[in-house]
Amino acid sequence: MPVRAFEVRAGSAISFAARADRTVLQEAASQGITLPSGCRSGGCGACRAKVLCGEFVLGPDALALTQEDRAQGFALLCQTYARSNLEIEVGESLAAANRVVRLHEVAFPSPDVAKLRLDVEGQPLLYRAGQHVDLALKDGTRRTYSIANPCADGKHLELHIRIVPQGRFTSRLAGASPAIRPGVRMRMAPPRGDFHLRESARPVVMVATGTGYAPIRAMLLQMLSSGSRRDVSLYWGAKTAADLYDTEEAKELLGKLGGRYVPVISSPVHNAVLGDFSTLSDCDVYVCGSPAMVRAAHSDFIAAGRLERTNFFADAFGAAPLCIEAIDEHI
Ligand SMILES: Cc1cc2nc3c(=O)[nH]c(=O)nc-3n(C[C@H](O)[C@H](O)[C@H](O)COP(=O)(O)OP(=O)(O)OC[C@H]3O[C@@H](n4cnc5c(N)ncnc54)[C@H](O)[C@@H]3O)c2cc1C
Ligand code: FES
């Protein structure tokens, strides 16, 4: 039996057909329509959109959608399957202009983590600590990276990038040909994503694996510069001590904030949180890193009755899909 297809409209300019067995985001991309998105696996919130009219169902991984979002009719388009014609309102300006950044410096705090310092060309770039950007590759694909510093003058970005063996982008940072070296200019899509510090006086528990430390570092530095007095803990997990590439800095930052830094080696980092907190119900929990860890933390914190869904915020570092839309020309 043929799969049903529905019409999806976003404003007066965008309209496309969406099959009932594919997500709205997949269907838009397959028809050359670029909607805001990041992880494409329900973890980052970049594809959050309001459904103004129509029926839909959500896939099981809509982690970045709060109960409040659901009650207000928001959906994650990477998890949304149409069940009737839909009218949606996308959260970010589709016309947001791409930018150019120049690679200023690459450092290797551990053998498989590169720290990139980028200079932003043109106007200062505004963003919230915790958001991510997309770098465009020559083949038209893109790679998403969290910004590791809060927005100060809007002219300098720091990225922490784990080198993936044979990775198309990251292996070139580690010297594979054609190598990416200081001086290279890259095209970059504007910062986006819903992973940022919510204003509140509640204690903050931050949980990271590997380079998931990057956006959390930006938030910690923001807390420091704003004189935050919130109770804060950071649990940072990795396979080996060397993989906690900035452990001294993390310790120092948490020390300045009067908080607690807990490095966790070769065991599930979220279990360390469960071991220390009999309840998280009065906390805001920020989780970032591998999708497996984000998923486990989400289900175990909430299933264990220790946390409300609405106080769980996450960004999952999923791999780029094999086929994604080009964002622009490349350099
Ligand atoms: C919202 C978001 C934020 C991100 N932020 C960061 C960040 O700050 N720092 C960072 O290091 N990475 C981050 N990532 C991951 C990053 O976008 C790339 O996926 C990664 O750098 C690999 O790119 P590559 O071209 O080298 O590898 P590819 O050529 O895309 O992949 C090579 C192989 O490795 C696998 N692979 C790639 N990435 C991963 C992964 N993350 N987990 C498991 N398998 C993988 C692929 O499936 C493929 O088999 C983020 C991802 C998302 C969605
Ligand atoms: S792209 Fe849908 S939640 Fe990340």
Side-chain angles (χ1 to χ4, degrees):
M1 204 167 67
V3 179
R4 291 192 71 184
F6 301 102
E7 185 188 13
V8 180
R9 288 185 163 278
S12 55
I14 296 174
S15 161
F16 56 94
R19 286 168 47 132
D21 62 342
R22 287 168 51 89
T23 69
V24 169
L25 192 67
Q26 283 172 328
E27 288 292 79
S30 71
Q31 291 161 65
I33 294 166
T34 304
L35 296 177
S37 68
C39 65
R40 295 169 176 82
S41 56
C44 74
C47 65
R48 184 172 169 273
K50 186 151 195 172
V51 179
L52 301 173
C53 179
E55 301 297 320
F56 64 94
V57 292
L58 286 172
D61 292 328
L63 301 185
L65 208 60
T66 64
Q67 291 295 59
E68 201 183 339
D69 286 339
R70 288 169 196 256
Q72 291 175 1
F74 283 96
L76 298 177
L77 298 184
C78 72
Q79 298 292 312
T80 299
Y81 299 84
R83 290 293 178 264
S84 74
N85 292 342
L86 296 179
E87 201 177 325
I88 61 174
E89 185 178 78
V90 286
E92 286 176 48
S93 164
L94 294 176
N98 289 333
R99 302 293 298 267
V100 174
V101 287
R102 187 176 163 281
L103 181 57
H104 179 78
E105 189 181 30
V106 185
F108 287 87
S110 84
D112 59 1
V113 174
K115 266 191 194 177
L116 273 61
R117 295 212 161 76
L118 303 169
D119 295 333
V120 177
E121 297 194 351
Q123 293 294 313
L125 193 70
L126 300 179
Y127 60 91
R128 287 171 150 171
Q131 287 193 301
H132 49 255
V133 289
D134 282 350
L135 296 177
L137 308 194
K138 262 197 169 156
D139 61 6
T141 61
R142 61 190 185 179
R143 293 294 180 272
T144 309
Y145 296 105
S146 300
I147 307 171
N149 58 313
C151 186
D153 61 2
K155 298 294 281 181
H156 302 96
L157 301 182
E158 180 171 320
L159 308 179
H160 297 178
I161 299 183
R162 182 171 73 87
I163 308 298
V164 174
Q166 273 88 52
R168 268 194 290 172
F169 177 67
T170 59
S171 65
R172 294 174 57 198
L173 289 168
S177 180
I180 298 173
R181 302 239 188 265
V184 158
R185 294 165 78 239
M186 292 176 272
R187 202 168 284 277
M188 186 187 86
R192 61 204 167 81
D194 205 29
F195 191 57
H196 62 86
L197 206 58
R198 270 56 177 188
E199 281 204 18
S200 148
R202 294 159 61 87
V204 185
V205 178
M206 294 179 161
V207 188
T209 51
T211 47
Y213 171 65
I216 282 180
R217 174 184 190 266
M219 292 184 199
L220 291 170
L221 286 167
Q222 183 194 315
M223 287 175 78
L224 201 58
S225 68
S226 67
S228 167
R229 301 178 67 84
R230 288 174 80 173
D231 187 87
V232 55
S233 313
L234 167 62
Y235 289 75
W236 189 9
K239 287 202 183 100
T240 69
D243 294 332
L244 299 179
Y245 54 89
D246 256 350
T247 202
E248 285 308 314
E249 181 201 68
K251 198 156 107 191
E252 192 184 323
L253 261 175
L254 271 292
K256 286 182 181 163
L257 285 163
R260 213 159 62 96
Y261 170 51
V262 184
V264 181
I265 308 297
S266 74
S267 63
V269 63
H270 77 289
N271 282 349
V273 178
L274 288 172
D276 287 353
F277 285 81
S278 57
T279 176
L280 291 161
S281 62
D282 62 342
C283 300
D284 285 347
V285 177
Y286 292 83
V287 180
C288 188
S290 72
M293 185 279 283
V294 171
R295 218 172 299 249
H298 183 264
S299 60
D300 291 354
F301 291 167
I302 291 163
R306 310 255 183 110
L307 181 68
E308 291 298 318
R309 221 171 262 279
T310 44
N311 299 109
F312 181 91
F313 310 98
D315 226 358
F317 284 3
L322 289 179
C323 176
I324 54 181
E325 70 277 19
I327 53 173
D328 206 341
E329 301 166 15
H330 47 78
I331 290 175

Coordinates of all heavy atoms in Angstrom, one line a residue, residues 38-40 44 132 137 142-147 159-171 211-212 214-215 290-291 315-320 322, ligand 1:
G38 N 20.2 20.5 13.8 CA 21.5 20.3 14.4 C 21.8 18.8 14.4 O 22.2 18.2 13.4
C39 N 21.5 18.1 15.5 CA 21.9 16.7 15.7 C 21.0 15.8 14.8 O 21.4 14.7 14.6 CB 21.7 16.4 17.2 SG 20.0 16.4 17.7
R40 N 19.8 16.2 14.5 CA 18.9 15.3 13.8 C 18.5 14.1 14.5 O 18.1 13.1 13.9 CB 19.4 15.0 12.4 CG 19.6 16.2 11.5 CD 20.4 15.8 10.2 NE 20.4 17.0 9.3 CZ 21.3 18.0 9.4 NH1 22.2 18.0 10.4 NH2 21.3 19.0 8.6
C44 N 19.2 18.2 20.4 CA 19.7 19.6 20.5 C 18.7 20.7 20.5 O 18.9 21.8 21.0 CB 20.7 19.9 19.4 SG 20.0 20.1 17.8
H132 N 25.8 26.1 19.2 CA 26.8 25.5 18.3 C 26.7 26.2 16.9 O 25.8 26.9 16.6 CB 26.6 24.0 18.2 CG 25.2 23.6 17.9 ND1 24.4 23.0 18.9 CD2 24.5 23.6 16.8 CE1 23.2 22.7 18.4 NE2 23.2 23.1 17.1
L137 N 32.0 22.2 4.7 CA 33.2 21.5 4.0 C 33.0 21.7 2.5 O 32.0 22.0 2.0 CB 33.2 20.0 4.3 CG 33.1 19.6 5.8 CD1 33.5 18.1 6.0 CD2 34.0 20.5 6.7
R142 N 28.4 19.6 6.1 CA 28.8 20.5 7.2 C 29.0 19.7 8.5 O 28.5 18.6 8.6 CB 27.7 21.5 7.4 CG 26.4 20.9 7.8 CD 25.3 22.0 7.7 NE 24.0 21.5 8.2 CZ 22.9 22.2 8.3 NH1 22.9 23.5 7.9 NH2 21.8 21.7 8.7
R143 N 29.7 20.3 9.4 CA 30.0 19.6 10.7 C 29.7 20.6 11.8 O 30.0 21.8 11.7 CB 31.5 19.2 10.8 CG 31.9 18.1 9.8 CD 31.2 16.8 10.1 NE 31.6 15.7 9.2 CZ 31.0 15.5 8.0 NH1 30.0 16.2 7.6 NH2 31.5 14.5 7.3
T144 N 29.0 20.1 12.8 CA 28.5 20.9 13.9 C 29.5 20.9 15.1 O 29.9 19.8 15.5 CB 27.1 20.4 14.4 OG1 26.3 20.2 13.2 CG2 26.5 21.3 15.3
Y145 N 29.8 22.1 15.6 CA 30.7 22.2 16.8 C 30.1 23.2 17.8 O 29.7 24.3 17.4 CB 32.1 22.5 16.4 CG 32.7 21.4 15.5 CD1 32.8 21.5 14.2 CD2 33.0 20.2 16.1 CE1 33.2 20.5 13.4 CE2 33.4 19.1 15.3 CZ 33.5 19.3 14.0 OH 33.9 18.2 13.2
S146 N 30.2 22.8 19.1 CA 29.8 23.7 20.1 C 30.8 24.8 20.4 O 32.0 24.5 20.3 CB 29.5 22.9 21.4 OG 28.6 21.9 21.2
I147 N 30.4 26.0 20.7 CA 31.3 27.0 21.0 C 31.7 26.9 22.5 O 30.9 26.8 23.4 CB 30.7 28.4 20.7 CG1 30.1 28.4 19.3 CG2 31.7 29.5 20.9 CD1 29.2 29.7 19.0
L159 N 36.7 26.3 19.7 CA 36.0 25.0 19.5 C 36.9 23.9 20.0 O 38.2 24.0 19.9 CB 35.8 24.8 18.0 CG 35.0 25.8 17.2 CD1 34.9 25.4 15.7 CD2 33.7 26.2 17.8
H160 N 36.3 22.9 20.6 CA 37.1 21.7 21.1 C 36.6 20.6 20.2 O 35.5 20.2 20.3 CB 36.8 21.4 22.6 CG 37.2 22.5 23.5 ND1 37.0 22.5 24.8 CD2 37.9 23.7 23.2 CE1 37.5 23.6 25.4 NE2 38.0 24.4 24.4
I161 N 37.5 20.0 19.5 CA 37.1 19.0 18.5 C 37.9 17.7 18.7 O 39.1 17.6 18.6 CB 37.3 19.5 17.0 CG1 36.5 20.8 16.9 CG2 37.0 18.4 16.0 CD1 36.6 21.4 15.5
R162 N 37.1 16.6 18.9 CA 37.7 15.3 19.0 C 38.1 14.8 17.6 O 37.3 14.8 16.7 CB 36.8 14.3 19.7 CG 37.4 12.9 19.9 CD 36.5 12.1 20.8 NE 35.3 11.6 20.1 CZ 35.2 10.5 19.3 NH1 36.2 9.8 19.2 NH2 34.1 10.2 18.7
I163 N 39.3 14.2 17.5 CA 39.7 13.7 16.2 C 39.1 12.3 16.0 O 39.4 11.4 16.8 CB 41.3 13.6 16.1 CG1 41.9 14.9 16.4 CG2 41.7 13.1 14.7 CD1 41.6 16.1 15.5
V164 N 38.3 12.2 15.0 CA 37.7 10.9 14.7 C 38.6 10.2 13.6 O 38.8 10.8 12.6 CB 36.2 11.1 14.1 CG1 35.7 9.7 13.7 CG2 35.4 11.7 15.2
P165 N 39.1 9.0 13.9 CA 40.0 8.3 12.9 C 39.2 8.2 11.6 O 38.1 7.8 11.5 CB 40.2 6.9 13.5 CG 39.9 7.1 15.0 CD 38.9 8.2 15.1
Q166 N 39.9 8.6 10.5 CA 39.3 8.6 9.2 C 38.2 9.6 9.0 O 37.5 9.6 8.0 CB 38.8 7.2 8.7 CG 39.9 6.4 8.1 CD 40.7 5.6 9.1 OE1 40.1 4.9 9.9 NE2 42.0 5.7 9.1
G167 N 37.9 10.4 10.0 CA 36.8 11.4 9.9 C 37.2 12.4 8.8 O 38.3 12.8 8.7
R168 N 36.2 12.7 8.0 CA 36.5 13.5 6.8 C 37.0 14.9 7.2 O 37.8 15.5 6.5 CB 35.2 13.7 5.9 CG 35.1 12.6 4.9 CD 34.1 12.9 3.9 NE 32.8 12.7 4.4 CZ 31.7 13.1 3.8 NH1 31.7 13.6 2.6 NH2 30.5 12.9 4.3
F169 N 36.4 15.5 8.2 CA 36.9 16.8 8.6 C 38.0 16.7 9.7 O 39.1 17.3 9.5 CB 35.7 17.6 9.2 CG 36.1 19.0 9.7 CD1 36.6 20.0 8.8 CD2 36.0 19.3 11.0 CE1 37.0 21.2 9.3 CE2 36.4 20.6 11.5 CZ 36.9 21.5 10.6
T170 N 37.7 16.0 10.8 CA 38.6 16.1 11.9 C 40.0 15.5 11.6 O 41.0 15.9 12.1 CB 38.0 15.4 13.1 OG1 37.8 14.0 12.8 CG2 36.7 16.1 13.6
S171 N 40.1 14.5 10.7 CA 41.4 13.9 10.4 C 42.3 14.9 9.7 O 43.5 14.9 9.9 CB 41.3 12.6 9.6 OG 40.8 12.9 8.3
T211 N 34.5 15.9 24.5 CA 34.4 17.3 24.1 C 33.1 17.9 24.4 O 32.8 19.1 24.1 CB 34.8 17.5 22.6 OG1 34.1 16.5 21.9 CG2 36.3 17.4 22.4
G212 N 32.2 17.1 25.0 CA 30.9 17.7 25.5 C 31.2 18.7 26.6 O 30.3 19.5 27.0
A214 N 32.9 21.3 26.0 CA 33.0 22.6 25.4 C 31.9 23.6 25.7 O 32.1 24.7 26.2 CB 33.2 22.4 23.8
P215 N 30.6 23.2 25.4 CA 29.6 24.2 25.7 C 29.4 24.4 27.2 O 28.9 25.5 27.6 CB 28.3 23.6 25.0 CG 28.6 22.1 25.0 CD 30.1 22.0 24.8
S290 N 28.3 12.3 24.1 CA 27.9 11.2 23.2 C 26.4 11.0 23.3 O 25.8 11.1 24.4 CB 28.6 10.0 23.6 OG 28.1 9.4 24.8
P291 N 25.7 10.7 22.2 CA 24.2 10.5 22.2 C 23.9 9.3 23.2 O 22.9 9.4 23.9 CB 23.9 10.1 20.8 CG 25.0 10.7 20.0 CD 26.2 10.7 20.8
D315 N 22.5 18.5 24.9 CA 23.0 18.5 23.5 C 23.7 17.2 23.2 O 24.6 16.9 24.0 CB 24.0 19.7 23.2 CG 23.6 20.5 22.0 OD1 22.7 20.1 21.3 OD2 24.3 21.5 21.7
A316 N 23.3 16.5 22.2 CA 23.9 15.2 21.9 C 24.8 15.4 20.6 O 24.4 15.9 19.6 CB 22.8 14.2 21.6
F317 N 26.1 14.9 20.7 CA 27.0 15.0 19.6 C 26.9 13.9 18.6 O 27.8 13.0 18.5 CB 28.4 15.1 20.2 CG 28.8 16.4 20.8 CD1 28.0 17.4 21.0 CD2 30.1 16.5 21.3 CE1 28.3 18.6 21.6 CE2 30.5 17.7 21.9 CZ 29.6 18.7 22.1
G318 N 25.8 13.8 17.9 CA 25.6 12.8 16.9 C 26.5 13.0 15.7 O 26.9 14.1 15.5
A319 N 26.8 11.9 15.0 CA 27.6 12.0 13.8 C 26.8 12.6 12.7 O 25.5 12.6 12.7 CB 28.0 10.6 13.4
A320 N 27.4 13.3 11.8 CA 26.7 13.9 10.7 C 26.1 12.8 9.8 O 26.7 11.8 9.6 CB 27.7 14.7 9.8
L322 N 24.9 10.8 6.5 CA 25.7 10.6 5.3 C 25.4 11.6 4.2 O 26.2 12.0 3.5 CB 25.5 9.2 4.8 CG 26.1 8.1 5.7 CD1 25.9 6.7 5.1 CD2 27.6 8.3 5.8
Ligands
LIG1 C1 24.8 19.5 18.0 C2 26.2 18.9 17.8 C3 27.3 19.5 18.4 C4 28.6 18.9 18.2 N1 29.6 19.5 18.9 C5 30.8 18.9 18.8 C6 32.0 19.5 19.5 O1 31.9 20.5 20.1 N2 33.1 18.8 19.5 C7 33.3 17.6 18.8 O2 34.4 17.0 18.8 N3 32.2 17.1 18.1 C8 31.0 17.7 18.0 N4 30.0 17.2 17.3 C9 30.3 16.0 16.4 C10 30.8 16.6 15.0 O3 29.8 17.4 14.4 C11 31.2 15.5 14.0 O4 30.3 14.5 13.9 C12 32.6 14.9 14.3 O5 33.6 15.9 14.5 C13 33.1 14.0 13.1 O6 33.3 14.7 11.9 P1 34.3 14.0 10.8 O7 34.0 14.7 9.5 O8 35.7 14.0 11.2 O9 33.8 12.5 10.8 P2 32.9 11.8 9.7 O10 33.6 11.7 8.4 O11 31.5 12.5 9.7 O12 32.7 10.4 10.3 C14 33.7 9.3 10.3 C15 33.1 8.1 11.0 O13 33.0 8.3 12.4 C16 31.7 8.2 12.9 N5 31.5 9.4 13.8 C17 31.6 10.7 13.5 N6 31.3 11.4 14.6 C18 31.0 10.6 15.5 C19 30.5 10.8 16.8 N7 30.4 12.0 17.4 N8 30.2 9.7 17.6 C20 30.3 8.5 17.0 N9 30.7 8.2 15.8 C21 31.0 9.3 15.0 C22 30.8 8.4 11.6 O14 29.6 7.7 11.7 C23 31.7 7.7 10.5 O15 31.6 6.3 10.5 C24 28.7 17.8 17.4 C25 27.6 17.2 16.8 C26 26.4 17.8 17.0 C27 25.2 17.1 16.3

